[in-house]
């Protein structure tokens, strides 16, 4: 297909025809594979990398449309499949504030990706540009990055081909191989009109984190050494850069850093492995590094936006997990205490709230609510948690899987900056709260920033991992991935705590749950993997296991497998 630029009567029409020709040429180079249906899921598109080149080209087009629609504001594109295995890859868009793409645009991404031919892509693109009132003559600015997956560079070429269709109106900044949270940071910092968020570079990120951490640690350092499982992913590279900036306040021993060993990414290591298996990565188990009493370790996931901590019980030697719930509880309690110490005036009083998902362990929710900390429950996906957390003065959000952060509202920052300290103690608390707002990534969950947050709170409390763990005891739980022929028949509602479809399945689940002491279970389709997830918790490990098995059978029955 071709458009005729020379016959076009105006300069704009001429340029439009050139653009459509360029898009058509790119679309011919990156045709959509047949029989694949793409969905912009929990964290963008995610599937086997071999199925993604056409999607990347089309996401390139959409990123430019979004930036032009927002008068040239910088949009981010991250190529990663985070916790998924190495043959998968994925892509997601980042809005100018550093947050996930506006959900109303997800449908446009899905529509473009599923156009079966070059003609339908041109037609959908043109309709979108008109309906969304995009002025194509506006400039566009894009910053993009990718993780260490071997498929990354080829997919980046397809993405760039999308940008290039628009000629010189698009300015791009390729950050290269970097973590998802650093990309979010750079997007936010680039668009920050006040110029106070930080320099929009990797160096700016490292310096901002290191400065806030040093302020908060004060003369408490050097801290006890920490082992960090980098999931053989990009977190290993980011950690190396960061420690070079930080110096020896926090001695870090990186583990699982083989970013170029084929097949090693997320394989038997990383945050998702540890959380799902509730066990040490075998490499850490066999190294014996955790056997010395009081030693703590943490695991990042493949793109370093999640973190979980763990240690071995001093006398029993058993594995003890300190997951996203444990982080949220410790951090919310600590920030709450700091607010009390800050002694702010009545009209500047600040409230800490916590946002969780259905995966949050029942014990964590009970612990928070019994201490009058407001807790809200939202569907899985950082985009949902982030928005809910923005409703609090200080909103702590964490998924149990270790994905989360703490948001300080503009009012909270203003209140802290304008506060009149009543004593040296209150001045110190105010100073520390402001330093936390610098240390914690305000755009998205960030393993490195969260690690520094945890280390700071432990240092201030004078705690080791065991003291942190002592707050409450998790209810035993099990998370199961169930492969079904078509996960789209499973539709969840009520913050994903209930199944709406297939009809009748929820009643059967409810009947089953009743048979278990303190039982709770829910089922939802994954938005990142081709499976349905079953979560079960109960009073004992055996009951949690049995409940998970029973609900898994119900899911298999509902999907027509038995
Ligand atoms: C992504 C999302 C998380 C979500 C996880 C699993 O994490 O950002 O919010 O919890 O997927 O989602 P699902 O259960 O729908 O597959 P990541 O670390 O893979 O980007």
């Amino acid at each position: 297909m071709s458009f005729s630029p020379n016959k076009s009567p105006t300069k704009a029409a001429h340029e439009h025809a050139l653009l459509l020709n360029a898009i058509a040429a790119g679309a011919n180079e990156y045709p959509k594979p047949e029989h694949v249906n793409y969905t912009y899921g929990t964290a963008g598109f995610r599937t086997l990398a071999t199925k993604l080149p056409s999607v990347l080209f089309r996401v390139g087009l959409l990123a430019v449309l979004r930036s032009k629609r927002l008068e040239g504001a910088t949009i981010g594109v991250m190529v990663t499949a985070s916790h998924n295995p190495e043959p998968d890859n994925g892509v997601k868009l980042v809005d100018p504030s550093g947050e996930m793409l506006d959900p109303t645009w997800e449908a446009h991404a899905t529509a473009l990706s599923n156009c079966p031919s070059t003609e339908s892509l041109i037609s959908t693109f043109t309709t979108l540009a008109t309906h969304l009132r995009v002025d194509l003559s506006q400039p566009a600015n894009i910053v993009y990055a990718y993780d260490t997956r071997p498929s990354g560079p080829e997919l980046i070429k397809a993405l760039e081909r999308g940008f290039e269709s628009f000629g010189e109106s698009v300015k791009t900044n390729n950050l290269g191989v970097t973590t998802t949270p650093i990309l979010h940071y750079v997007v936010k910092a680039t668009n920050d009109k006040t110029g106070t968020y930080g320099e929009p570079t990797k160096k700016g990120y490292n310096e901002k984190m290191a400065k806030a951490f040093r302020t908060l640690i004060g003369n408490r350092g050097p801290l006890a050494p920490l082992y960090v499982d980098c999931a053989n992913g990009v977190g290993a590279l980011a950690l190396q850069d960061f420690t070079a900036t930080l110096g020896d306040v926090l001695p870090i021993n990186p583990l699982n850093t083989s970013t170029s060993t084929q097949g090693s990414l997320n394989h038997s290591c990383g945050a998702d492995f540890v959380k799902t298996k509730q066990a040490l990565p075998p490499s850490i188990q066999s190294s014996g590094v955790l056997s010395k009493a009081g030693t703590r370790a943490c695991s990042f996931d493949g793109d370093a936006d999640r973190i979980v901590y763990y240690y071995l019980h001093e006398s029993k030697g058993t594995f003890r997990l300190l997951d996203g719930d444990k982080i949220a509880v410790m951090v919310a309690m600590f920030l709450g205490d700091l607010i009390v110490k800050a002694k702010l005036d009545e009209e500047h009083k600040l409230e800490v709230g916590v946002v969780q998902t259905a995966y949050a362990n029942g014990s964590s929710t009970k612990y928070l609510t019994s201490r009058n900390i407001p807790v809200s429950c939202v569907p899985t996906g950082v985009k949902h948690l982030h928005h809910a957390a923005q409703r609090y003065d200080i909103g702590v959000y964490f998924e149990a899987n270790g994905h989360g952060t703490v948001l300080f509202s503009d009012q909270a920052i203003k209140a802290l900056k304008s506060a009149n300290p009543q004593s040296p103690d209150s001045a110190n608390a105010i100073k520390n709260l402001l330093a936390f707002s610098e240390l914690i990534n305000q755009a998205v969950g960030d393993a490195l920033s969260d690690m520094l947050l945890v280390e700071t709170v432990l240092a201030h409390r004078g705690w080791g991992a065991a003291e942190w763990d002592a707050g409450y005891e998790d209810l035993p739980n099990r998370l199961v991935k169930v492969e079904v022929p078509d996960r789209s028949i499973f539709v969840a509602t009520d913050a994903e705590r209930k199944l709406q479809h297939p009809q009748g399945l929820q009643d059967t689940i409810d009947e089953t749950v009743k048979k278990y002491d303190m039982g709770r279970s829910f089922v939802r389709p994954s938005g990142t993997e081709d499976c349905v997830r079953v979560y079960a918790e109960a009073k004992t490990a055996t009951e949690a296991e049995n409940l998970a098995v029973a609900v898994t059978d119900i899911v298999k029955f509902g999907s027509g497998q038995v």
Side-chain angles (χ1 to χ4, degrees):
M1 105 188 273
S2 107
F3 301 86
S4 314
N6 294 334
K7 290 180 201 144
S8 301
T10 64
K11 185 169 175 255
H14 174 81
E15 281 174 0
H16 192 63
L18 283 179
L19 168 65
L20 296 187
N21 276 336
I23 294 177
N28 290 338
E29 246 175 79
Y30 293 104
K32 176 187 177 290
E34 284 178 24
H35 314 300
V36 187
N37 189 38
Y38 300 104
T39 310
Y40 197 98
T42 311
F45 295 104
R46 238 178 242 192
T47 185
L48 270 179
T50 48
K51 293 183 184 170
L52 280 171
S54 64
V55 174
L56 267 289
F57 171 71
R58 293 155 191 229
V59 165
L61 303 180
L62 192 73
V64 175
L65 280 188
R66 180 101 184 118
S67 176
K68 285 180 183 275
R69 178 68 184 86
L70 300 174
E71 296 167 2
T74 297
I75 294 293
V77 184
M78 183 70 206
V79 177
T80 179
S82 192
H83 75 275
N84 292 46
E86 191 165 300
D88 285 359
N89 213 324
V91 60
K92 65 179 176 185
L93 291 167
V94 177
D95 258 357
S97 57
E99 295 167 21
M100 302 291 187
L101 175 68
D102 178 337
T104 61
W105 277 59
E106 292 181 4
H108 311 323
T110 300
L112 281 180
S113 300
N114 286 312
C115 292
S117 63
T118 298
E119 286 76 12
S120 72
L121 177 64
I122 294 287
S123 149
T124 305
F125 173 85
T126 312
T127 311
L128 275 182
T130 311
H131 280 353
L132 297 169
R133 299 191 311 281
V134 180
D135 175 357
L136 290 166
S137 68
Q138 286 279 339
N141 290 287
I142 316 281
V143 51
Y144 58 103
Y146 50 109
D147 69 15
T148 53
R149 280 162 211 269
S151 54
E154 276 307 309
L155 292 177
I156 286 291
K157 277 190 201 156
L159 179 74
E160 289 170 336
R161 189 76 176 79
F163 304 152
E164 285 155 17
S165 311
F166 296 82
E168 288 180 0
S169 69
V170 181
K171 298 265 173 303
T172 59
N173 174 10
N174 179 357
L175 289 187
V177 174
T178 197
T179 70
T180 297
I182 291 181
L183 183 269
H184 284 258
Y185 163 87
V186 172
V187 173
K188 187 175 176 66
T190 306
N191 289 302
D192 172 37
K193 300 250 180 334
T194 67
T196 53
Y197 190 66
E199 187 190 303
T201 59
K202 290 188 205 182
K203 181 171 156 276
Y205 169 92
N206 285 327
E207 283 171 355
K208 179 176 165 126
M209 295 286 154
K211 184 171 169 219
F213 187 64
R214 277 195 219 103
T215 304
L216 282 159
I217 293 302
N219 56 13
R220 293 174 177 83
L223 307 178
L226 172 68
Y227 289 89
V228 184
D229 159 23
C230 300
N232 294 316
V234 64
L237 309 176
L239 196 61
Q240 198 177 17
D241 274 2
F242 176 72
T243 43
T245 309
L246 180 68
D248 51 13
V249 189
L250 173 61
I252 288 177
N253 299 307
L255 305 166
N256 296 322
T257 57
S258 310
T259 53
S260 53
T261 308
Q262 218 187 340
S264 63
L265 178 68
N266 294 326
H267 183 70
S268 294
C269 60
D272 201 59
F273 175 91
V274 172
K275 171 68 185 162
T276 315
K277 302 273 183 223
Q278 303 188 24
L280 289 183
S283 54
I284 298 187
Q285 174 81 53
S286 59
S287 71
V289 291
L290 283 189
S291 50
K292 184 166 170 260
T295 310
R296 71 214 181 289
C298 60
S299 285
F300 293 180
D301 71 341
D303 62 341
D305 60 3
R306 294 195 210 172
I307 186 170
V308 293
Y309 266 74
Y310 41 91
Y311 69 104
L312 297 180
H313 190 281
E314 191 174 342
S315 55
K316 298 182 197 152
T318 47
F319 171 81
R320 299 286 305 177
L321 178 65
L322 296 155
D323 62 3
D325 299 337
K326 287 268 180 179
I327 297 175
V329 168
M330 178 172 75
V331 168
M333 297 304 296
F334 184 75
L335 294 177
D337 288 354
L338 267 189
I339 288 171
V340 172
K341 281 190 194 147
K343 292 199 167 72
L344 300 173
D345 310 335
E346 209 42 55
E347 78 265 27
H348 289 133
K349 281 271 172 282
L350 300 178
E351 185 183 51
V352 178
V354 175
V355 185
Q356 301 185 315
T357 70
Y359 291 111
N361 195 278
S363 298
S364 70
T365 316
K366 199 167 153 197
Y367 184 93
L368 290 165
T369 47
S370 67
R371 281 157 184 81
N372 296 323
I373 305 222
V375 180
S376 28
C377 181
V378 299
T380 294
V382 166
K383 54 193 173 197
H384 301 295
L385 289 112
H386 195 93
H387 290 138
Q390 283 169 330
R391 292 188 210 117
Y392 297 111
D393 300 321
I394 298 180
V396 178
Y397 74 80
F398 269 91
E399 294 183 293
N401 64 23
H403 205 156
T405 192
V406 182
L407 300 182
F408 287 73
S409 69
D410 289 346
Q411 298 92 292
I413 298 291
K414 253 189 228 149
L416 291 167
K417 284 192 172 160
S418 62
N420 289 319
Q422 296 179 18
S423 65
D425 267 2
S426 84
N428 205 27
I430 292 165
K431 185 188 93 184
N432 285 342
L433 281 163
L434 284 168
F436 273 115
S437 76
E438 292 288 310
L439 179 74
I440 303 170
N441 193 322
Q442 295 297 289
V444 79
D446 179 340
L448 201 144
S449 160
D450 290 338
M451 175 187 87
L452 301 175
L453 167 63
V454 166
E455 291 301 316
T456 305
V457 176
L458 291 176
H460 278 243
R461 291 279 200 215
W463 286 355
E467 287 86 355
W468 169 15
D469 195 15
Y472 67 88
E473 188 65 26
D474 270 332
L475 278 173
N477 58 89
R478 273 282 276 136
L479 181 59
V480 184
K481 282 189 209 177
V482 190
E483 286 182 15
V484 296
D486 178 10
R487 76 186 197 273
S488 71
I489 66 166
F490 292 85
V491 180
T493 182
D494 184 20
E496 302 184 324
R497 289 172 289 199
K498 299 262 175 248
L499 267 187
Q500 210 166 18
H501 292 287
Q503 267 178 8
L505 225 58
Q506 187 59 47
D507 294 339
T508 319
I509 295 171
D510 290 343
E511 282 308 310
T512 307
V513 167
K514 275 188 206 154
K515 296 177 195 157
Y516 294 84
D517 201 2
M518 300 173 81
R520 184 170 74 90
S521 180
F522 64 90
V523 172
R524 56 174 286 279
S526 163
T528 60
E529 294 177 77
D530 194 7
C531 68
V532 164
R533 299 198 199 279
V534 169
Y535 176 83
E537 66 181 33
K539 193 167 181 191
T540 66
T542 311
E543 282 183 293
E545 177 66 33
N546 291 345
L547 178 56
V549 170
V551 176
T552 300
D553 286 344
I554 296 171
V555 167
K556 285 188 176 157
F557 176 77
S559 69
Q561 284 186 81
V562 283

